[in-house]
Amino acid sequence: MQTLIDYFSTMPSFHRSILLVGGILFFWIIEGFQPLFRFKGHNKWKHALTNIFFTLTTAVVNLSLAFVMVKLSDWTVVHHFGYMQWMSEFPLPIVLITGLALMDLISAYSIHYLNHKVKWFWLFHLIHHTDTHVDTTTANRHHPGESFLRLFATTIGVFLMGAPIWMIFLYQSLSVILSQFNHANIVLPKKVDKILSWVIVTPNMHHVHHHFQQPLTDTNYGNIFSIWDRIFGTYAEADNSKLVYGVDTHMEPMENSRVANLLKIPFQEYRDIKEINKKEEVSNT
Ligand SMILES: [Zn+2]
Ligand SMILES: [Zn+2]
């Protein structure tokens, strides 16, 4: 375990890049063998380019503010502040597992839940959901505005958890890989997915979150661990072969596949699906 801590304490930045790029490549290859959906007429490369653009903007936001996280982490260690510092007398595996789970709650589940409940958060988070061909490249398709919000949530997590540097790198590495895994357009054997979903967020579980209509969109907010959805009653299952990806308010390909249009979405008027349906009903009568 000490070796693990030593490695993540000084994890070279090129190892983090390898993890990000290698992960996408790995799941991209697996998707070729056993995809959940074989999308008709879909240009996988063009789709990937849009998502890679947003992956790069996310990386830029994260890198430009990484120093804040490092400073904050140092401060918590020096001042013995936060969960992991207060728990330092307990066995390391317990502190590590509970620390990762709590970090996941504060830095991922909570902000994801808010992204769906607060209107202007949703306008940024929409970009992630507008993808109608979810695959491993969707993992980091976030509007730069959302990337800031997520980074802010991670910073709060680091502060409250009193997370040392190794914990931040370990958490972020797991988060990157798990996210690529649970977005991947793959099918695991049903039983395997079911068993895994008691611990981690599986592809079946996260794909449900990408269904284009409520109430499924507002379920399965988890990032690494599935426990928070189970505890807070947001866990849901569905027949995954019948899922339709996207958001019902933004199903127009021009809107949901072009970078320039996607960047503008948060600054456009909020669309209420109930209002849209009502207008359609009136115009049909
Ligand atoms: Zn979401
Ligand atoms: Zn997603």
Side-chain angles (χ1 to χ4, degrees):
M1 187 147 288
Q2 194 53 46
T3 325
L4 186 93
I5 292 175
D6 290 345
Y7 172 74
F8 282 103
S9 299
T10 55
M11 190 180 186
S13 49
F14 83 94
H15 281 198
R16 277 178 281 151
S17 313
I18 289 174
L19 200 78
L20 178 69
V21 178
I24 290 180
L25 284 178
F26 175 75
F27 291 114
W28 176 282
I29 292 166
I30 307 258
E31 283 174 347
F33 291 112
Q34 186 145 9
L36 170 64
F37 292 110
R38 290 186 191 275
F39 302 113
K40 264 189 195 161
H42 171 56
N43 186 334
K44 201 166 154 73
W45 287 94
K46 199 173 158 221
H47 170 256
L49 274 181
T50 303
N51 289 351
I52 285 166
F53 170 84
F54 286 107
T55 304
L56 290 176
T57 56
T58 300
V60 168
V61 170
N62 288 350
L63 283 174
S64 63
L65 290 166
F67 74 97
V68 177
M69 210 102 79
V70 173
K71 285 265 177 253
L72 202 60
S73 165
D74 286 347
W75 186 90
T76 59
V77 174
V78 170
H79 292 86
H80 203 72
F81 177 88
Y83 176 80
M84 289 187 70
Q85 304 304 321
W86 300 328
M87 293 283 287
S88 55
E89 299 299 316
F90 285 80
L92 191 55
I94 295 178
V95 181
L96 191 142
I97 300 290
T98 53
L100 277 176
L102 287 170
M103 184 91 181
D104 201 34
L105 170 68
I106 304 166
S107 305
Y109 181 93
S110 306
I111 186 71
H112 194 181
Y113 181 85
L114 289 176
N115 278 341
H116 282 245
K117 302 296 170 193
V118 179
K119 237 183 222 176
W120 72 268
F121 281 19
W122 170 248
L123 284 171
F124 285 102
H125 184 53
L126 245 177
I127 280 73
H128 183 67
H129 279 269
T130 52
D131 197 336
T132 49
H133 299 86
V134 172
D135 67 13
T136 192
T137 65
T138 312
N140 283 300
R141 175 185 163 121
H142 300 300
H143 192 284
E146 187 189 346
S147 301
F148 273 108
L149 283 173
R150 292 165 69 91
L151 194 74
F152 183 64
T154 309
T155 309
I156 293 176
V158 167
F159 180 64
L160 295 178
M161 297 308 295
I165 291 293
W166 63 264
M167 179 66 171
I168 302 175
F169 284 157
L170 173 63
Y171 172 75
Q172 287 187 331
S173 302
L174 281 175
S175 183
V176 163
I177 292 298
L178 255 292
S179 187
Q180 290 169 345
F181 166 65
N182 58 42
H183 283 89
N185 181 25
I186 54 173
V187 206
L188 294 181
K190 254 191 186 163
K191 260 198 178 156
V192 175
D193 196 292
K194 184 103 188 142
I195 293 166
L196 284 178
S197 76
W198 279 100
V199 185
I200 57 167
V201 177
T202 60
N204 265 358
M205 201 179 150
H206 194 68
H207 289 160
V208 169
H209 181 75
H210 278 272
H211 185 59
F212 81 124
Q213 274 178 327
Q214 303 261 31
L216 290 183
T217 321
D218 284 351
T219 62
N220 298 354
Y221 296 108
N223 176 45
I224 296 177
F225 299 104
S226 58
I227 181 177
W228 304 119
D229 279 300
R230 293 184 184 275
I231 289 179
F232 296 116
T234 49
Y235 178 81
E237 288 178 14
D239 179 350
N240 280 47
S241 64
K242 294 198 173 116
L243 294 176
V244 176
Y245 296 142
V247 187
D248 47 13
T249 52
H250 291 75
M251 294 305 273
E252 195 56 52
M254 277 287 280
E255 271 194 315
N256 61 36
S257 61
R258 296 195 174 190
V259 170
N261 293 343
L262 288 167
L263 284 169
K264 280 184 225 155
I265 287 181
F267 311 102
Q268 293 165 351
E269 209 180 316
Y270 175 82
R271 295 181 197 171
D272 187 333
I273 191 63
K274 285 181 199 142
E275 294 297 322
I276 295 173
N277 288 342
K278 246 189 236 166
K279 272 183 199 161
E280 269 179 17
E281 264 175 43
V282 171
S283 66
N284 288 340
T285 49

